[in-house]
Amino acid sequence: MSFYGEISKYYDYIFPVGENQLNFIKDCAGSPGGRILDVACGSGGYSIELAKAGYLMTAVDIEDGMVEKVKTKAAENGLSINAFKCDMRELEEKVRERFNAIFCIGNSLVHLANLKEIADALTQMKHILADDGCLVLQTVNYDRIIKFNLDGLPTITNDEFGVEFVRKYKFKKESNTIDFNTTLIIKKGDSKAEYNNSVELLPLRSSELAWALKEAGFTTFDFYGDFKYSNYTEDSPSLVVKAR
């Protein structure tokens, strides 16, 4: 089984739904009943909670295991969520609706190869937004990572379910990329299993994201340091965006 296939079984224990994130998305989407697209949805925790709140949800991810997880959870909760496999670079090809809100959080955007791909993906998101639609983005704050030469993010531990997720960064200045090396550790009784993975990320600076949003046709956007609407600075842990 692939790393992401394995992690899909434990995703909710590593990345539980956050109340601040959920409220931020609801603020962007407006009243229940509107259509929302969850891009790079993972196991669909946010789509599930938003569907429960009355929003009409579409959820897409590039990993089959994640999409199947969303479908299973939706069925278990008696919810209708349109979940299917889709790369964020092919949204206009595969998504046939327009949305009141689109969100792409969890540092997913920086898995694209370069700034042009990011601008192209954002352009597609803009095209499938309603005229007054709102986009929410969230990445790690790479201004901070590079400024302080940080070598990773805090390890995530869930003792209740015996899950540990180790995250290490290695910035490569010559190629302007980051090696993101992760280890998923699963403990069951006296046994322990480890799953290692390495993926190359684009260290997207705030100025570069501002350029890409303008290229995509967004005319107004605000940057925040978290989902509590804190002012964004180079020292913020995250870069959160609300754009129209």
Side-chain angles (χ1 to χ4, degrees):
M1 180 179 289
S2 72
F3 177 80
Y4 284 103
E6 188 63 37
I7 202 174
S8 68
K9 297 187 293 185
Y10 303 98
Y11 195 89
D12 293 338
Y13 307 143
I14 302 169
F15 303 111
V17 172
E19 184 177 354
N20 292 324
Q21 290 91 323
L22 198 59
N23 289 336
F24 194 100
I25 295 165
K26 288 178 180 179
D27 287 347
C28 183
S31 301
R35 295 186 179 277
I36 302 178
L37 174 63
D38 182 354
V39 177
C41 63
S43 63
Y46 288 98
S47 286
I48 293 292
E49 295 304 317
L50 290 164
K52 287 179 180 179
Y55 295 95
L56 305 177
M57 294 304 304
T58 297
V60 299
D61 199 278
I62 198 171
E63 293 290 332
D64 290 312
M66 295 297 187
V67 173
E68 290 307 311
K69 190 78 171 177
V70 179
K71 291 179 178 179
T72 298
K73 289 164 67 175
E76 290 172 348
N77 285 274
L79 299 170
S80 177
I81 296 177
N82 182 21
F84 56 93
K85 183 177 180 178
C86 179
D87 189 311
M88 70 177 77
R89 293 169 293 189
E90 54 186 18
L91 289 171
E92 284 190 281
E93 176 185 342
K94 293 190 174 181
V95 178
R96 303 301 181 189
E97 300 170 284
R98 298 188 76 190
F99 299 90
N100 302 98
I102 297 174
F103 66 97
C104 180
I105 62 176
N107 206 43
S108 300
L109 195 62
V110 298
H111 285 73
L112 297 181
N114 52 57
L115 193 55
K116 182 181 183 302
E117 284 197 355
I118 287 176
D120 288 347
L122 294 177
T123 298
Q124 293 190 50
M125 293 179 199
K126 177 64 174 174
H127 288 169
I128 59 176
L129 270 173
D131 291 340
D132 59 347
C134 177
L135 173 68
V136 174
L137 303 171
Q138 179 265 326
T139 70
V140 168
N141 180 6
Y142 288 100
D143 292 336
R144 174 175 174 262
I145 295 290
I146 294 170
K147 177 181 178 181
F148 295 107
N149 194 29
L150 300 181
D151 63 358
L153 300 174
T155 295
I156 298 171
T157 302
N158 188 324
D159 292 329
E160 181 180 357
F161 295 98
V163 176
E164 187 174 331
F165 192 52
V166 181
R167 303 174 291 173
K168 295 296 183 183
Y169 275 168
K170 182 179 180 181
F171 176 55
K172 297 186 293 186
K173 187 175 182 179
E174 65 280 1
S175 60
N176 188 39
T177 57
I178 282 179
D179 285 338
F180 183 40
N181 302 306
T182 56
T183 302
L184 174 63
I185 302 170
I186 309 298
K187 300 175 183 177
K188 294 182 180 179
D190 295 330
S191 65
K192 183 173 77 170
E194 292 190 7
Y195 303 90
N196 297 297
N197 189 60
S198 182
V199 63
E200 193 171 79
L201 302 179
L202 181 69
L204 183 67
R205 280 78 157 182
S206 57
S207 59
E208 293 172 327
L209 182 52
W211 174 86
L213 286 163
K214 291 176 183 176
E215 283 291 301
F218 290 93
T219 56
T220 61
F221 47 86
D222 297 303
F223 287 179
Y224 303 99
D226 55 34
F227 285 100
K228 298 178 183 179
Y229 294 94
S230 300
N231 291 332
Y232 173 77
T233 71
E234 281 192 344
D235 297 336
S236 300
S238 295
L239 173 56
V240 178
V241 181
K242 181 183 285 188
R244 295 184 185 273

